[in-house]
Amino acid sequence: MADMKVAAYICQGCGLGDRLDTAALAGVAKKEGKAALVREHEFLCNAEGVKMIRDDIANEAVTHVMIGACSRRAKTEAFGFTDVAVSRANLREGVIWCQPETDEARETTQEMAEDYIRMGCAEVKKMTLPEGNPAAVTERTVLVVGGGVSGMTAALEASKAGYKVVLVEKSGALGGWAAKLHKRSPGKSPYAEPQDTPVADMDAAITADANIKVYLNAITSKTSGSPGQFEIEISTESGSTATEKVGAIIQATGFSLYDANNLPELGYGKSANVVDQAGLEALAKAANGGVIKRPSDGGEVKTVVFVQCAGQRDDTGKHLPYCSGSCCSTSVKQAMYFKDSNPDIDTVVIYTDLRMPGNGEDFYRSGQNKGVTFTKGKVSSVEAAGNQCKVNFHDLILNDQTAIDNADLVVLATGQVPNSGVDIDTKLKADIAAAAGDNSLLEAYNASQAEGAVQPISVLNLTYRQGPDVPQLKYGFTDSHFICFPYETRRTGIYSAGPVRRPMDMVQAMEDATGAAMKAIQAVENAGLGRAAHPRSGDLSFPKVRLEGCTQCKRCTVECPFGAIDEDEKRFPVFNESRCRRCGTCMGACPVRVISFENYSIDTVGSQLKAVDVPDEFSEKPRILILACENDAYPALDMAAMNRNVYSAYVRIIPVRCLGSVNTIWINDALSSGYDGVMMMGCKHGDDYQCHFVKGSELASYRMSKIGDTLKQMGLEEDRVATFEVAITDIERVPQLINDYAAKIQEIGMSPLKGF
Amino acid sequence: MSEKYHNNFLKEVEEMVEEGEWVKMCMQCGVCAGSCPLGPHWAHPPQEIFMMIRAGKREEVLRSDSMWMCTSCYNCVVRCPRKLPITHIMHGLANYAHRLGLSPKNQPTQQFATLFWNNLAQTGRVNELKLSLGIYFKDGFAQGVKNAMAMQSVGLGMVKAKRLNPMELFGGHGVKDKTGFHAMLKKAKEIEDRRKNFA
Ligand code: SF4
Ligand code: SF4
Ligand code: SF4
Ligand code: SF4
């Protein structure tokens, strides 16, 4: 790149010119910001203003642009200059809209604006233009693992969109759970009758589709690489191995029914006439529309009882704690098998809550119409007596301890357990703790592995350092961000769809699979352009590492939420560009600070916070640094300002990619340069996390929990650093948090470190 | 005998009780029970009655006085998310129990209903005086006199306002074609008995 030339532009529009002394701001940019070129404009984002900047870039060899106008979240198109480094000083949302329009406030408002100009100039000088990776490659094929309805849907949808698909199914035929069904619950209006499953049609469509290559009796025995360039080893039962190159992966490995052998109290294993839902489908398939026979003796089934929530929604800790969301409609459908062949058969569904998501309500009504009896009750036990069973239950409407004495068949709705492979999260947590010096978790983990317990079999067999499968959420379902980006796992380019992601029925699974297919295509295309995936989609910057300085501490490798970092033979970190989501968590983690991005680094943030003019001890003007996550906290601040919610004029806000990217050096720097307090605002973490980078805010609060010692060494109060969880909707709360914190700082008093 | 949680009794209700085919459609939400102004005062709100029918509790249902307590306010019908004609079912059940001779003896609503019907069936018009007296005296002569005394001022007021004619005690007015009216009722009963298999 040519020599750096910084130009600063100060906008006077949107009332900025009325509320601020823009000439003074221009002076600050010139003198303190050392901008080579400074211009004021009355309406910077209009065609003329933008053209002015363009012309300067073209004619004046400007390489770095600092725009003092609205928030960086506004006017992104007008100010989206891709050929220069750009920083924005947020004078509108960040200053005039969040400050009172009074004479007394004029001085502090102006000071705020001047600081943001200083910060913008300081930041832009440390930025370089992200170049992207011109050598980025991409395979346009999508790998689908699992040949059930979800997998088949994903394959067909990806193919329809013009992409090649490799479909790997571990059994000898496509269809999965659906292939075992006699009929499916209805997926279309009027949602009244069981329908044929789509398996045969989909199977035929896949066979006829030249874009889809199917491997049966096969598993993905090795998965290496990254989005755009995965390399897959496919092993078949016969021992042969094939290799495929793909750009993205969809895991649609479905579920298994919860093992009914865990439910002896419900008669399973004690009477042949107690079956699970799969058992009943088998009986119905065998009967093929005819009379369903009693398994014990082939006798006529006159009374059949369906027991809902068998080993589900269990709060004793013995069985599944969650609802599988599809068993109720399955039982309605199965009761119809009987009613449709002979309306005189008594079919009783005993439920605690009948949950019929989507259009299932119509199906339920149809079941009632056919005379299926629904009884709200809790089954306590099932006793076998000859060729019949006695179902003991508590009728919750009549508050009656009662029984059905002569059930010929009892069907247990046992629910879905995801087939998601190896749980790598426990290990990851242990690794992180170990890296921070606490070995107890790791020891416990190793002990649990040694006990000889049956370990789940890996699905993807990833060669990633972080483990062979995608991380799992609560109850073993594969990872996904429920609120912002379902399907997207923490392994970039690997998506999960269907019941392996959360319990669901066939309608939802097909919708899910379609969504995952679209996401996979996005990943392929982004990878080809060297761009990041969600949520920084389009970002061309990428962590650069100064390996000479690396101490091989492995913090980055372990803490990267996306498994983007492997290790080479010499135990140096290997950054995989297309797996990286550009969150900066590695940068926040690195104790020797050798990781940075072209446009976001220890320096860009560090020099911003140092550029702020910190008044002396006697000014009674404290300074509070806010590091606000750009995903939720910063937008919330902007929106608070749009609503003219006023907050303290003593704060200076720096947006960060994620709290995970916050390096403790920034905190140290801020405190030692005299700031009176530091507020960090990130997303909610924990099991119901909202963090866009999944682990970032959690890691940050973990790191910050260790900052107490540093504060003590500096002789500072613990309250001088505080972390907050903020949601994008906290428009009222965020200004309140700021004001409360400012009041607290007032209470503690000014920092003793000013002026050193 | 109807078996527990088998459909025998439900089927009987579907065949014999007015609007009985709706009972199976109840989804046990409890809205009717919560809406009924009299709910707390009787043994089984509609929701329970419907579940009892499905649970095969024939005796308990038919001998219950719950249906008789319904005041036909229609709150439940208005609110039932499944649009069950609950009030009609309650009346249908009461009627069915009455015909079977299972309804609770001395149930005041039932007694009033019987009096009302007999009164009406005689002349084709309701004889208010006889109906009131019939109610006053249903528990014996002495109680009847007491009741009549207690209601005296109301009765006189009604006479003055020409809402009650003392002469009705002697015969009273009726429809024009009384014979035809009686023939019509007889025919209707025949049809209903045939339809519902009453001997
Ligand atoms: S920026 Fe985030 S995703 Fe990329 S390597 Fe660093 S921690 Fe991993
Ligand atoms: S965190 Fe920094 S020092 Fe540690 S391994 Fe990563 S790059 Fe090297
Ligand atoms: S309101 Fe209707 S559906 Fe709900 S319990 Fe009553 S009758 Fe049943
Ligand atoms: S109509 Fe009868 S059952 Fe319904 S709310 Fe009124 S009194 Fe209760």
Side-chain angles (χ1 to χ4, degrees):
Chain A
M1 195 182 267
D3 287 348
M4 174 162 72
K5 182 166 184 187
V6 179
Y9 298 90
I10 320 278
C11 180
Q12 296 167 325
C14 289
L16 288 165
D18 306 332
R19 300 272 312 269
L20 300 169
D21 179 349
T22 52
L25 295 180
V28 168
K30 180 115 224 152
K31 269 195 226 85
E32 300 177 52
K34 304 260 185 323
L37 193 70
V38 181
R39 293 194 205 275
E40 293 169 62
H41 193 277
E42 60 192 5
F43 195 177
L44 196 57
C45 64
N46 77 0
E48 194 200 309
V50 172
K51 183 167 179 298
M52 174 179 83
I53 302 175
R54 281 239 157 279
D55 289 347
D56 284 348
I57 295 170
N59 308 329
E60 304 276 340
V62 168
T63 57
H64 289 64
V65 169
M66 200 292 298
I67 295 170
C70 38
S71 163
R72 54 156 67 188
R73 301 182 63 254
K75 303 287 171 194
T76 46
E77 266 181 47
F79 299 142
F81 307 107
T82 50
D83 43 356
V84 288
V86 182
S87 74
R88 306 268 302 256
N90 186 354
L91 305 181
R92 191 179 69 172
E93 288 85 345
V95 181
I96 62 165
W97 283 359
C98 63
Q99 294 306 311
E101 198 171 351
T102 59
D103 283 343
E104 309 86 80
R106 243 188 129 77
E107 182 186 312
T108 49
T109 308
Q110 179 73 19
E111 283 172 5
M112 242 181 153
E114 289 178 6
D115 269 345
Y116 282 125
I117 297 292
R118 289 184 190 102
M119 291 159 79
C121 292
E123 181 190 16
V124 80
K125 275 186 265 176
K126 301 288 179 179
M127 290 167 80
T128 49
L129 185 65
E131 286 173 336
N133 177 5
V137 289
T138 206
E139 287 291 341
R140 289 203 150 65
T141 305
V142 174
L143 170 73
V144 177
V145 184
V149 162
S150 311
M152 291 195 290
T153 307
L156 286 167
E157 293 295 335
S159 163
K160 267 192 247 168
Y163 291 78
K164 283 198 181 326
V165 178
V166 173
L167 179 57
V168 177
E169 162 59 36
K170 78 169 182 306
S171 77
L174 296 178
W177 162 245
K180 298 191 185 130
L181 304 181
H182 170 49
K183 303 248 175 186
R184 64 169 288 198
S185 303
K188 58 173 195 274
S189 173
Y191 303 97
E193 303 295 334
Q195 294 171 358
D196 288 334
T197 74
V199 172
D201 289 348
M202 294 176 96
D203 197 349
I206 287 175
T207 314
D209 193 331
N211 273 333
I212 306 176
K213 187 165 167 189
V214 180
Y215 289 90
L216 295 176
N217 292 314
I219 57 158
T220 43
S221 50
K222 191 173 164 199
T223 304
S224 56
S226 55
Q229 45 196 347
F230 286 111
E231 208 169 289
I232 317 292
E233 228 173 72
I234 298 165
S235 302
T236 60
E237 231 174 16
S238 59
S240 67
T241 308
T243 314
E244 295 282 354
K245 288 197 165 164
V246 303
I249 300 172
I250 296 170
Q251 182 180 344
T253 41
F255 68 95
S256 311
L257 285 183
Y258 181 65
D259 188 355
N261 285 309
N262 294 333
L263 300 163
E265 68 276 19
L266 297 183
Y268 196 83
K270 294 194 179 144
S271 163
N273 298 330
V274 180
V275 296
D276 63 4
Q277 290 186 324
L280 187 85
E281 292 296 337
L283 291 176
K285 258 198 150 178
N288 195 21
V291 184
I292 294 175
K293 303 271 175 45
R294 191 162 60 192
S296 65
D297 63 345
E300 201 184 331
V301 175
K302 288 200 195 114
T303 301
V304 45
V305 177
F306 295 86
V307 179
Q308 297 310 109
C309 302
Q312 302 188 67
R313 303 175 65 200
D314 169 80
D315 51 17
T316 65
K318 278 199 291 191
H319 307 296
L320 303 182
Y322 55 86
C323 166
S324 294
S326 63
C327 334
C328 284
S329 70
T330 300
S331 290
V332 171
K333 174 194 73 176
Q334 294 185 334
M336 286 184 184
Y337 292 168
F338 294 93
K339 281 287 177 195
D340 288 346
S341 72
N342 175 6
D344 284 339
I345 297 175
D346 285 308
T347 54
V348 186
V349 178
I350 305 177
Y351 66 92
T352 38
D353 300 284
L354 210 69
R355 293 179 168 173
M356 310 285 289
N359 290 294
E361 191 67 21
D362 290 342
F363 193 44
Y364 166 35
R365 206 176 286 124
S366 166
Q368 287 185 301
N369 234 330
K370 293 185 180 191
V372 180
T373 296
F374 293 89
T375 302
K376 192 173 167 73
K378 184 121 190 70
V379 177
S380 49
S381 64
V382 176
E383 299 164 34
N387 284 318
Q388 289 188 317
C389 292
K390 184 175 178 210
V391 181
N392 298 305
F393 69 103
H394 185 200
D395 185 317
L396 293 167
I397 299 294
L398 304 179
N399 193 13
D400 211 359
Q401 199 57 53
T402 181
I404 295 172
D405 298 314
N406 51 356
D408 300 297
L409 197 61
V410 175
V411 186
L412 306 180
T414 56
Q416 304 184 347
V417 179
N419 299 329
S420 43
V422 180
D423 173 17
I424 60 168
D425 268 0
T426 329
K427 174 79 162 44
L428 187 73
K429 274 202 191 102
D431 278 348
I432 290 176
D438 174 3
N439 276 321
S440 58
L441 283 177
L442 195 58
E443 276 156 23
Y445 175 81
N446 289 338
S448 78
Q449 298 296 297
E451 268 163 29
V454 188
Q455 300 299 330
I457 299 162
S458 171
V459 175
L460 296 175
N461 291 295
L462 291 166
T463 57
Y464 289 19
R465 183 197 184 276
Q466 291 76 7
D469 281 296
V470 299
Q472 297 171 11
L473 299 174
K474 238 180 176 174
Y475 315 133
F477 289 94
T478 55
D479 181 40
S480 69
H481 192 292
F482 274 68
I483 301 174
C484 300
F485 21 105
Y487 331 121
E488 196 132 1
T489 75
R490 253 168 280 168
R491 297 296 169 256
T492 314
I494 305 180
Y495 299 86
S496 76
V500 71
R501 189 170 81 71
R502 63 171 178 81
M504 59 176 78
D505 64 16
M506 209 184 286
V507 175
Q508 295 174 57
M510 292 171 90
E511 199 178 287
D512 223 50
T514 309
M518 297 306 117
K519 274 300 197 184
I521 290 168
Q522 262 183 26
V524 163
E525 294 301 334
N526 269 327
L529 297 168
R531 304 197 307 201
H534 200 92
R536 292 189 59 84
S537 41
D539 191 346
L540 290 171
S541 73
F542 174 70
K544 302 255 177 321
V545 200
R546 235 182 350 99
L547 279 185
E548 320 84 82
C550 169
T551 62
Q552 298 172 317
C553 70
K554 292 198 285 201
R555 292 251 172 105
C556 55
T557 330
V558 172
E559 294 197 8
C560 169
F562 302 105
I565 312 172
D566 290 327
E567 264 166 53
D568 67 10
E569 316 81 62
K570 293 196 208 117
R571 319 214 317 143
F572 278 112
V574 178
F575 286 71
N576 294 274
E577 179 194 282
S578 61
R579 285 189 216 160
C580 168
R581 307 262 179 104
R582 284 61 163 174
C583 63
T585 302
C586 50
M587 180 175 104
C590 182
V592 288
R593 301 182 283 283
V594 295
I595 304 174
S596 62
F597 298 80
E598 289 135 314
N599 53 3
Y600 183 65
S601 62
I602 301 290
D603 260 5
T604 58
V605 175
S607 47
Q608 276 185 80
L609 66 91
K610 283 182 212 148
V612 169
D613 177 35
V614 180
D616 67 27
E617 213 171 333
F618 313 104
S619 68
E620 308 212 343
K621 283 177 181 167
R623 283 290 174 263
I624 297 165
L625 175 68
I626 298 183
L627 297 168
C629 164
E630 69 178 12
N631 296 298
D632 271 25
Y634 203 69
L637 281 159
D638 273 356
M639 284 190 282
M642 285 176 210
N643 288 341
R644 302 297 193 277
N645 290 336
V646 169
Y647 55 78
S648 165
Y650 301 133
V651 298
R652 299 294 178 261
I653 302 169
I654 301 179
V656 294
R657 290 187 176 184
C658 171
L659 271 202
S661 71
V662 172
N663 196 295
T664 43
I665 191 71
W666 294 339
I667 315 291
N668 289 345
D669 283 356
L671 293 173
S672 46
S673 48
Y675 281 87
D676 303 281
V678 180
M679 286 178 92
M680 271 172 289
M681 295 182 178
C683 302
K684 185 174 171 51
H685 50 80
D687 273 335
D688 49 353
Y689 68 89
Q690 290 177 14
C691 176
H692 294 64
F693 294 110
V694 189
K695 290 271 164 212
S697 63
E698 185 173 339
L699 289 166
S701 64
Y702 183 75
R703 287 179 209 142
M704 293 314 147
S705 69
K706 311 264 171 228
I707 211 163
D709 285 344
T710 317
L711 288 164
K712 236 179 254 154
Q713 276 166 21
M714 295 174 123
L716 291 175
E717 299 77 0
E718 292 224 7
D719 285 342
R720 297 231 186 244
V721 180
T723 319
F724 301 89
E725 288 184 351
V726 166
I728 198 158
T729 45
D730 283 344
I731 301 168
E732 309 283 335
R733 184 175 156 254
V734 174
Q736 192 58 47
L737 282 178
I738 293 178
N739 292 336
D740 291 350
Y741 189 70
K744 175 171 248 166
I745 290 297
Q746 209 87 43
E747 205 176 286
I748 307 174
M750 295 290 204
S751 164
L753 299 181
K754 284 181 199 288
F756 286 101
Chain B
M1 210 238 29
S2 61
E3 285 180 283
K4 281 193 278 182
Y5 296 91
H6 288 233
N7 285 349
N8 325 35
F9 183 42
L10 177 68
K11 270 190 202 134
E12 182 180 340
V13 168
E14 288 182 344
E15 277 158 28
M16 308 298 276
V17 172
E18 201 185 330
E19 305 279 12
E21 67 277 13
W22 277 96
V23 170
K24 61 174 184 266
M25 298 309 292
C26 167
M27 63 171 180
Q28 298 299 334
C29 65
V31 166
C32 53
S35 308
C36 180
L38 291 172
H41 305 293
W42 69 34
H44 306 292
Q47 176 196 19
E48 262 174 50
I49 290 283
F50 301 154
M51 195 62 237
M52 286 160 73
I53 293 172
R54 288 160 17 170
K57 301 192 176 238
R58 186 174 190 276
E59 284 289 301
E60 274 179 62
V61 170
L62 295 176
R63 290 192 186 281
S64 167
D65 77 341
S66 295
M67 303 82 87
W68 298 100
M69 296 291 282
C70 170
T71 59
S72 312
C73 69
Y74 284 88
N75 254 348
C76 54
V77 178
V78 169
R79 292 188 180 163
C80 172
R82 275 288 161 89
K83 298 198 170 75
L84 263 70
I86 303 166
T87 312
H88 305 88
I89 306 171
M90 296 306 263
H91 294 328
L93 281 169
N95 179 277
Y96 182 55
H98 173 72
R99 277 176 163 247
L100 292 177
L102 292 174
S103 50
K105 303 286 166 263
N106 302 324
Q107 209 291 334
T109 318
Q110 190 205 358
Q111 283 174 326
F112 175 78
T114 314
L115 272 175
F116 185 91
W117 176 257
N118 291 340
N119 180 305
L120 177 77
Q122 254 171 29
T123 63
R125 283 185 191 267
V126 178
N127 183 319
E128 277 141 358
L129 195 64
K130 281 187 186 165
L131 181 62
S132 321
L133 292 176
I135 295 166
Y136 294 170
F137 288 90
K138 79 180 170 58
D139 297 325
F141 184 75
Q143 184 61 41
V145 172
K146 260 195 216 159
N147 289 343
M149 296 301 281
M151 297 299 285
Q152 201 180 26
S153 60
V154 176
L156 284 175
M158 284 176 74
V159 171
K160 263 193 211 151
K162 297 215 165 54
R163 307 305 300 168
L164 196 69
N165 181 358
M167 298 320 278
E168 289 277 311
L169 203 50
F170 313 101
H173 66 303
V175 289
K176 271 184 199 149
D177 178 14
K178 223 187 279 180
T179 328
F181 173 67
H182 284 142
M184 199 171 75
L185 287 185
K186 195 165 161 250
K187 186 78 193 168
K189 188 168 183 324
E190 259 174 43
I191 294 172
E192 197 186 356
D193 284 354
R194 206 180 325 122
R195 187 155 58 88
K196 297 195 168 166
N197 276 324
F198 275 102

